């Protein structure tokens, strides 16, 4: 019969609080080994009855694996008691593997932890009965109970760790597949639609009817990707946003960015590359300072700028031709006349509006317009010439190319 255990010193108490089995008498283990297989069966039956996830019949290799796992856990507990094992439990990775397996099977961690708890109750009930038949005192029984439940907590922690690692790995793999799908959607020449649909299935994505690309500066939008609408396909500093015209969707995209970003046009998913090109072109102009932005910029609001920027050399030739009448003006005169001409074209010839736009007196506007008439003559009344002058003066303010002096 085991007598009362002596009171341990403080440092030993701290150790026992974490691993109470280290305080059990080693001779307890061999006394409890008989009937280990029957206890394992009882635990399995109790778990199947109480936890729906494990209610299915256990047959063949699966049944043998479960029995071996339960018996192994019981045997290990008795081993650490008998051998006075200290430190981390042996074979801890085995229980982490159980957690990983649950994640792979699509079951919740709660089912496994519930199974551990039920198993612990059954084990304690049978262990207490055995301990009483051996005449063990109440202090040993209390320490035995604490040890069983602390041991199960250790196994639960190992399984939870394995479950979390598996979920993280699965999420990372899914993110990689979705990034690969985004690259496939925007590649040029376009990918085979069948290949895109296969990649979407592998990424667990239902291809939306429409998407819009959003592009930002790498490093500035590291958190932005996580704030984009659910279902966005992210690859680096580019994302494809599903159903961009859904109510509130564009506001949601705008809220994701604190630094400048560019949103391409809404297109069918088969044209995602076009939206990505537009967003990329606008973002490049934002970074170059051509387009001023603080937050999300919509590419569709800057189509004229994109058109003018497309061929700066051609634009410079057009400017040289259409602004030839100003060749004899001094740089200061030229600047004033160009400013007035641009405002006059933009405001459809309204002198008061032009004066307000360039902050001069209306009489000054009329004086400059007379100078422009003297230099350009009837060309100012030609619709085609006015259109080209409008392009030139607009591009002048965007700093898109070199200009004749």
């Amino acid at each position: 019969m085991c007598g009362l255990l002596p009171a341990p010193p403080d440092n030993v108490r701290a150790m026992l609080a974490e691993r109470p089995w280290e305080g059990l008498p080693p001779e307890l283990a061999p006394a409890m080994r008989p009937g280990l297989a029957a206890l394992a069966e009882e635990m399995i039956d109790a778990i199947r009855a109480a936890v729906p996830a494990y209610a299915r019949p256990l047959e063949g290799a699966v049944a043998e694996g479960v029995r071996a796992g339960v018996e192994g856990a019981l045997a290990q507990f008795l081993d650490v008691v008998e051998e006075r094992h200290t430190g981390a439990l042996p074979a801890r990775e085995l229980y982490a593997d159980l957690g990983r397996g649950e994640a792979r099977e699509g079951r919740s961690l709660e089912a496994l932890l519930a199974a551990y708890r039920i198993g612990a109750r059954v084990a304690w009930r049978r262990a207490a009965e055995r301990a009483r038949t051996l005449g063990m005192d109440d202090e040993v029984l209390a320490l035995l109970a604490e040890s069983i439940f602390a041991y199960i907590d250790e196994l639960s922690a190992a399984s939870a760790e394995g479950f979390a690692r598996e979920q993280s790995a699965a999420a990372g793999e899914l993110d990689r597949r979705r990034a690969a799908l985004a690259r496939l959607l925007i590649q040029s020449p376009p990918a085979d639609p069948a290949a895109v649909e296969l990649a979407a299935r592998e990424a667990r994505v239902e291809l939306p009817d429409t998407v819009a690309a959003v592009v930002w500066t790498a490093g500035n939008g590291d958190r932005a990707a996580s704030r984009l609408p659910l279902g966005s396909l992210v690859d680096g500093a580019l994302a494809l946003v599903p159903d961009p015209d859904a109510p509130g969707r564009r506001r949601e995209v705008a809220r994701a960015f604190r630094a400048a970003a560019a949103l391409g046009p809404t297109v069918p998913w088969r044209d995602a590359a076009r939206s990505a090109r537009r967003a990329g072109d606008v973002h490049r102009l934002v970074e170059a300072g051509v387009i001023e932005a603080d937050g999300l910029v919509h590419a569709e609001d800057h189509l004229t700028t994109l058109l003018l920027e497309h061929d700066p050399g051609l634009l410079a030739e057009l400017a040289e031709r259409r602004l030839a009448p100003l060749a004899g003006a001094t740089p200061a005169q030229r600047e004033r006349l160009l400013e007035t001409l641009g405002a006059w074209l933009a405001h459809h010839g309204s002198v008061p509006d032009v004066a307000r736009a360039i902050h001069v007196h209306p009489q000054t506007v009329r004086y400059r317009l007379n100078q422009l008439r003297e230099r350009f003559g009837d060309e100012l009344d030609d619709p085609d010439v006015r259109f080209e002058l409008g392009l030139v003066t607009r591009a002048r303010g965007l700093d898109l190319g070199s200009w004749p002096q």
Side-chain angles (χ1 to χ4, degrees):
M1 176 177 178
C2 296
L4 291 174
L5 297 174
D10 290 343
N11 64 328
V12 175
R13 283 198 190 97
M15 175 271 293
L16 291 179
E18 294 183 6
R19 300 186 297 274
W21 54 81
E22 294 180 16
L24 288 170
E27 60 269 23
L28 184 64
M32 293 201 160
R33 288 191 192 280
L36 210 61
L39 175 57
E41 288 293 339
E42 185 178 355
M43 291 171 65
I44 291 170
D45 289 343
I47 290 168
R48 289 183 56 215
V51 184
Y54 302 113
R56 66 186 185 282
L58 299 176
E59 300 174 347
V62 174
E64 290 305 313
V66 170
R67 289 188 184 91
V70 174
E71 287 186 29
L74 294 170
Q76 177 181 270
F77 175 73
L78 296 180
D79 287 343
V80 298
V81 171
E82 186 172 16
E83 298 168 7
R84 302 193 72 84
H85 178 82
T86 60
L89 290 176
R92 190 176 189 277
E93 196 59 28
L94 171 65
Y95 302 100
D97 286 341
L98 282 175
R100 280 193 285 267
E102 293 300 287
R104 291 190 197 107
E105 291 295 324
R107 288 189 288 264
S108 73
L109 180 61
E110 286 307 310
L112 180 59
L113 298 185
Y116 279 140
R117 290 192 296 270
I118 292 166
R121 289 201 297 268
V122 173
W124 161 239
R125 186 165 58 244
R126 294 294 170 249
E129 291 172 359
R130 181 66 175 161
R132 288 192 183 94
T133 63
L134 294 172
M136 295 184 179
D137 59 47
D138 291 343
E139 191 160 351
V140 172
L141 284 171
L143 189 57
L144 178 59
E146 185 178 355
S147 298
I148 289 174
F149 288 102
Y151 176 73
I152 291 298
D153 283 346
E154 285 276 322
L155 303 190
S156 298
S159 293
E161 188 178 302
F163 188 92
R165 287 205 301 263
E166 181 64 25
Q167 278 197 324
S168 178
E173 178 59 26
L174 204 58
D175 286 343
R176 286 190 289 275
R177 290 184 180 183
R178 289 177 177 176
L181 175 60
R183 289 193 295 274
L184 198 62
L185 284 165
I186 66 171
Q187 78 173 36
S188 184
D192 185 330
V196 173
E197 289 168 357
L198 175 61
R201 286 195 296 273
E202 291 177 345
R204 301 180 191 175
V205 169
E206 183 177 348
L207 289 167
D209 291 335
T210 58
V211 297
V214 59
V215 174
W216 62 92
T217 303
N220 289 345
D222 293 341
R223 291 187 178 181
S226 64
R227 294 193 293 264
L228 286 170
L230 190 65
S232 296
L233 301 174
V234 180
D235 179 33
L238 176 144
L240 295 176
V241 177
D243 301 323
D245 295 330
R249 184 59 52 86
R250 296 199 176 208
R251 286 195 301 274
E252 189 178 359
V253 176
R255 285 195 298 268
F257 295 97
R258 294 185 177 88
L263 182 69
T266 298
V267 295
W269 65 259
R270 289 176 174 79
D271 292 333
R274 176 161 62 89
S275 185
R277 282 196 303 272
R278 294 288 179 271
D281 288 344
V282 168
H283 184 258
R284 176 171 48 81
L285 293 177
V286 168
E287 291 205 311
V290 174
I291 296 175
E292 294 184 3
D294 181 18
L296 187 67
V297 178
H298 294 251
E300 59 197 14
D301 293 337
H302 299 276
L303 296 181
T304 302
T305 302
L306 288 172
L307 182 65
L308 294 173
E309 186 269 344
H310 184 68
D311 191 340
L314 183 61
L315 190 59
E317 289 180 30
L318 181 62
E320 185 173 10
R321 178 186 177 195
R322 283 302 169 207
L323 301 183
L326 301 178
T330 66
Q333 286 177 315
R334 177 185 172 84
E335 182 65 26
R336 289 193 296 270
L337 291 175
L338 276 174
E339 179 186 42
T340 305
L341 177 59
W344 180 73
L345 292 167
H347 292 281
H348 309 289
S350 170
V351 171
D353 289 341
V354 173
R356 281 190 292 271
I358 63 177
H359 308 292
V360 298
H361 194 277
Q363 190 59 36
T364 303
V365 173
R366 293 188 183 93
Y367 173 72
R368 293 180 186 176
L369 288 176
N370 286 334
Q371 290 183 304
L372 288 168
R373 283 285 179 186
E374 290 176 3
R375 292 175 179 275
F376 285 90
D378 293 339
E379 285 189 336
L380 289 182
D381 298 320
D382 186 317
D384 292 336
V385 174
R386 287 165 69 128
F387 174 76
E388 291 179 356
L389 283 171
L391 292 177
V392 167
T393 54
R394 179 181 176 86
R396 168 181 168 272
L398 296 174
D399 190 24
L400 292 174
S402 58
W403 296 95
Q405 300 299 318

